[in-house]
Structures are given as structure tokens and as C-alpha cells.
């Protein structure tokens, strides 16, 4: 299992991560809700442990982010000061459990054992809303038609496209339109794990297969049996591991690490990549025989800059999504904001658009998101009508003003400000401490 730990205390983080690792699982450690939400948007952890830091808001955001998955992702909230109202609110919203620190090590061990025994990926949730694959672009509509047509077959699908174009959405769309839709959908990010961990995650292992293998573990192929396995960024797999993957696809069976006998499987495989395949094949980084095995049904997703007619449709969807998530009264997008959005080149594609709209929803004061609240990642300051627009200043001063402006916009909510700024809460706290120290030094010099 992959366990996402959202914790900013280094001592507690180490204890949790060591415990997860000792039980044969993979810990992913993040120190703020913003990066955690970004991770959950791309990956599918098996369990989330989150430190509330005195507020139930962060836990509610995580619970909201995991809703609507094809299978349940348990969320356990942790806090030093357990308040009954927080526990009730989180449990009603769908939290798996509510723990008060310090957390006994054995409690985590038992929870991991229980969740593993239930085989989390088989727990059913309401189906993914395939309508989220929103488009008005003729090429995208054609790709959706192809995807729906081949969904009922077992043919492997190879989805190519730049980062952020929606490759996983297409994979889920195919799964939902297949006769496997009520079976597991398991996603593996092949670029997120080192080779030795990726091999055990994919194929599983037997007890004693290597140091630390204290019990047998099913791999992702077994967990996805009778369902769909998404191999995200498959070109990041080493050539040696590609050979083993090819055999699994050819023989429809897996060999666990340390296993004596192959295990038969029935899995529909969908692979994605953002790499230029011609170069990877010519340079020997990717096996041609595996490429041909995966590329039975090829789908190439166009970048957002090639389908600008989708910008308005997607933007309105994200406004609705995040205004509801953050409980703010933003209901629409002004024409000047849409003009600015259409004029952007979108190097980060739909994922970048979603981030920009999320940021805009949080910065908007009225009911309509306008151009001033549309801030792209490369911009170093909030675009307002104030005297900041044309004022010359150092980059450090721009950064300082942007941070204070963002804090003002969210009523000094540091977690929300960090999300908008794209930094961790720890980084934000360090910046504020730096500004405070510089101010004290300045005042000290003035008194001399």
C-alpha cells in the first residue's frame, strides 16, 4: 500500500513513516495540505494520515479531494487537541477515523493490517463522473468516441500527451464504459518510485523475498484483477523491468518476487506517457516489442493551446468546483478574465488552468471572477489597480508584497495562502519570520 502522510512535525513524521515502511508499505510524506491535494489529484494513495494543526478545515479538504474515486481512500485525521465538534464534523464528512496524539505505534500497525486485509482497491465508491471529461473540441470528441468504442474490449490502450492534458481522465473514461466498471481501477505512477520499489509494487512479493519482507504482499496487477490497471508515465520504467512487464502482458500471469509459481491474472492495461516516443525508441530507452504490445489502441491527447474553445467550458466547471469546496460566493467569470485565459499559452495544460482558477476563486472578492484575479504562475505579483502595477522594486520586495497581499485576501489563513502561492506552510512561515526579523533589525538601526 501507499500511505500519504501529511505532517509538519519532523519527529512524528519520522515515527509514522518508519512504522509504515516496517510494515512493508510505501510512505509518501508531505508537510502541507496544498501539496497533498496536488498529489491526490495525480495519484491514488491507499490511506491518508493528516495532521489537522488545530483546524478541521485541512481534513475536510482532503476528504473532499478523495470523494468520487472508483474505490474508497480512507482518511484518518490526527490532532494534539481533540475537539468533539471536529471529530463529529469529520466523521460525518466521511473520515475513516479521528486520532488524538500521541498516536500509539501499535494502533497504526493494526490499522494498516486491517486495511490491507480488506484489499482497499476492491472497496466500491460511486462511479467516476465521466462527464468531467469536458470538451467542445472536434478532435477531443473524436478521441472520446474511439475510447468509448474500444472500452468493451480488453485491448491495451496507449495514451500520449503533454503533462496536464487529462490522460488519466481518459483512462478512467475507458474503464467506466467497459464491462469492468464495477471492478477495481488501480493507478500506478511509474515515475514516482525507484526501480526496486516499483517492481515490488507492480508484481508483489512473498514473505522473506528480501530484507524487510515480513509478510507476503499482492502487487498492483493482482489488486487490479478483473479490472483496469493504469501505468502512468510507463516510459519511466527501466529497460530491465520492461522485460518483466512484457512477459506479464503476453502470458497474463505475474511472478511475485521470491515466488515459486506464476499467478494468473485478468487485467485490462492502459498506459500513458508524456515522452516523445520516437526518441525513446530510437535511443533504446524503451523496448519496441513492449511499445507494440501497449500501442494496440493509440490515443494522442492534444494540448490545451490547440483547443482553446475548451478554456471557457473548463474554467466555468472549475469555478463551480472550487467555489463549492471553499464555500465562497463566486458564481461566474467576467469577459475580461475569459479573454486573458484564452490569450495564455498554457504550458501546463488543463492542470495549470485548474490551478489558475482555484487561485482566482480564492482571491476574488465579489461574485464574478475577473481578470485581476487571474494570476499565472510566471507572474510575480498580484495584478491589481493599485500603485503596485508599475512601481519598480526588487524581486524580494515583490515576493514580500505578494505574500502579504495573499494573506490579506484569505484573512490570514496561512494554509489557504500557501496553497494559492504554491508553497508549503513551512516555507510561508519561514518567509514571515524572515520579514519580521528584518523589520526588527531595521528598527534597531534607526534607534542608534
Amino acid at each position: 500500500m501507499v500511505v500519504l502522510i501529511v505532517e509538519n512535525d519532523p519527529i512524528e513524521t519520522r515515527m509514522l513513516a518508519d512504522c509504515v515502511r516496517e510494515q512493508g508499505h510505501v510512505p509518501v510524506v508531505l508537510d502541507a495540505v496544498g501539496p497533498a491535494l496536488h498529489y491526490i489529484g495525480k495519484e491514488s494513495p491507499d490511506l491518508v494520515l493528516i495532521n489537522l494543526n488545530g483546524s478541521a478545515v485541512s481534513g475536510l479538504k482532503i476528504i473532499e479531494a478523495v470523494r468520487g474515486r472508483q474505490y474508497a481512500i480512507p482518511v484518518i485525521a490526527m490532532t494534539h487537541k481533540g475537539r468533539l465538534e471536529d471529530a463529529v464534523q469529520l466523521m460525518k464528512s466521511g473520515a475513516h477515523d479521528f486520532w488524538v496524539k500521541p498516536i500509539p505505534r501499535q494502533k497504526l500497525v493494526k490499522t494498516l493490517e486491517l486495511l490491507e486485509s480488506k484489499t482497499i482497491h476492491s472497496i466500491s465508491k460511486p462511479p467516476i463522473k465521466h462527464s468531467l471529461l469536458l470538451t467542445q473540441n472536434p478532435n477531443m470528441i473524436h478521441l472520446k468516441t474511439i475510447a468509448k468504442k474500444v472500452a468493451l474490449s480488453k485491448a491495451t490502450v496507449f495514451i500520449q500527451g503533454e503533462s496536464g492534458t487529462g490522460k488519466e481522465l481518459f483512462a478512467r473514461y475507458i474503464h467506466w464504459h467497459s464491462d469492468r466498471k464495477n471492478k477495481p481501477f488501480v493507478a500506478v505512477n511509474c515515475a514516482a518510485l525507484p526501480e526496486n520499489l516499483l517492481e515490488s509494487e507492480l508484481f508483489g512479493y512473498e514473505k522473506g523475498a528480501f530484507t524487510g519482507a515480513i509478510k507476503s504482499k499482492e502487487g498492483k496487477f493482482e489488486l487490479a484483477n478483473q479490472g483496469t490497471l493504469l501505468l502512468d508515465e510507463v516510459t519511466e520504467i527501466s529497460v530491465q523491468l520492461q522485460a518483466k512487464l512484457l512477459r506479464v502482458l503476453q502470458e497474463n500471469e505475474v511472478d511475485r518476487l521470491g515466488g515459486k509459481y506464476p499467478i494468473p491474472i485478468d487485467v485490462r492495461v492502459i498506459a500513458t506517457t508524456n515522452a516523445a516516443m520516437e526518441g525513446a525508441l530510437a535511443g533504446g530507452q524503451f523496448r519496441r516489442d513492449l511499445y507494440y504490445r501497449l500501442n494496440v489502441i493509440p490515443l494522442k491527447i492534444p494540448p490545451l493551446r490547440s483547443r482553446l474553445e475548451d478554456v471557457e467550458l473548463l474554467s466555468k466547471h472549475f469555478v463551480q468546483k472550487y467555489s463549492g469546496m471553499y464555500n465562497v460566493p463566486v458564481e461566474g467569470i467576467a469577459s475580461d478574465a475569459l479573454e486573458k485565459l484564452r490569450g495564455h499559452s498554457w504550458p501546463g495544460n488543463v492542470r495549470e488552468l485548474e490551478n489558475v482558477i482555484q487561485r482566482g476563486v480564492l482571491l476574488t472578492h465579489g461574485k464574478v471572477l475577473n481578470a485581476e484575479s487571474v494570476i499565472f504562475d510566471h507572474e510575480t505579483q498580484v495584478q491589481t489597480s493599485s500603485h503596485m502595477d508599475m512601481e519598480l522594486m526588487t524581486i524580494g520586495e515583490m515576493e514580500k508584497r505578494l505574500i502579504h497581499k495573499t494573506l490579506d485576501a484569505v484573512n490570514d489563513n496561512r494554509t489557504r495562502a500557501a496553497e494559492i502561492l504554491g508553497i508549503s506552510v513551512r516555507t510561508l512561515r519561514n518567509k514571515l519570520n524572515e520579514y519580521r526579523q528584518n523589520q526588527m533589525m531595521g528598527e534597531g538601526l534607526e534607534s542608534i
Side-chain angles (χ1 to χ4, degrees), residues 123-270:
I123 300 174
S124 178
K125 283 280 284 183
I128 295 293
K129 295 180 181 178
H130 57 268
S131 59
L132 291 181
L133 196 55
L134 300 172
T135 185
Q136 294 176 330
N137 177 265
N139 291 335
M140 287 286 286
I141 293 172
H142 178 62
L143 289 174
K144 285 180 67 175
T145 302
I146 294 174
K148 188 174 181 179
K149 186 175 182 179
V150 303
L152 290 173
S153 72
K154 193 187 173 183
T156 54
V157 181
F158 196 31
I159 306 175
Q160 299 181 55
E162 296 178 8
S163 293
T165 49
K167 298 186 292 293
E168 183 171 344
L169 277 179
F170 261 96
R172 292 182 180 274
Y173 182 85
I174 292 169
H175 176 74
W176 174 241
H177 282 91
S178 74
D179 54 5
R180 299 168 181 262
K181 65 181 180 181
N182 294 320
K183 300 298 182 179
F185 178 93
V186 180
V188 183
N189 186 337
C190 300
L193 298 171
E195 181 181 351
N196 59 332
L197 280 178
L198 180 60
E199 184 174 10
S200 63
E201 278 295 303
L202 286 175
F203 308 122
Y205 54 81
E206 295 292 347
K207 180 179 179 180
F210 51 83
T211 303
I214 59 176
K215 55 185 175 181
S216 299
K217 176 186 174 183
E218 293 177 311
K220 298 298 187 186
F221 272 98
E222 290 180 74
L223 290 171
N225 194 38
Q226 298 186 328
T228 303
L229 177 65
L230 171 62
L231 299 175
D232 193 18
E233 303 304 340
V234 69
T235 47
E236 297 299 315
I237 296 179
S238 69
V239 175
Q240 293 75 17
L241 202 53
Q242 288 174 32
K244 190 168 183 178
L245 174 59
L246 178 62
R247 185 183 180 282
V248 173
L249 296 177
Q250 290 174 333
E251 305 299 330
N252 292 314
E253 59 185 26
V254 294
D255 291 292
R256 289 184 182 178
L257 296 179
K260 294 181 179 180
Y261 307 103
I263 300 170
I265 54 167
D266 172 21
V267 176
R268 204 279 178 70
V269 173
I270 301 176

Side-chain angles (χ1 to χ4, degrees), residues 68 86 90 156 176 218 270 303 306 320 358 374 404 439 448:
D86 287 345
L90 288 162
T156 54
W176 174 241
E218 293 177 311
I270 301 176
S306 298
Q320 183 181 23
Q358 180 182 10
V374 174
H404 285 301
Q439 182 180 0
I448 296 175

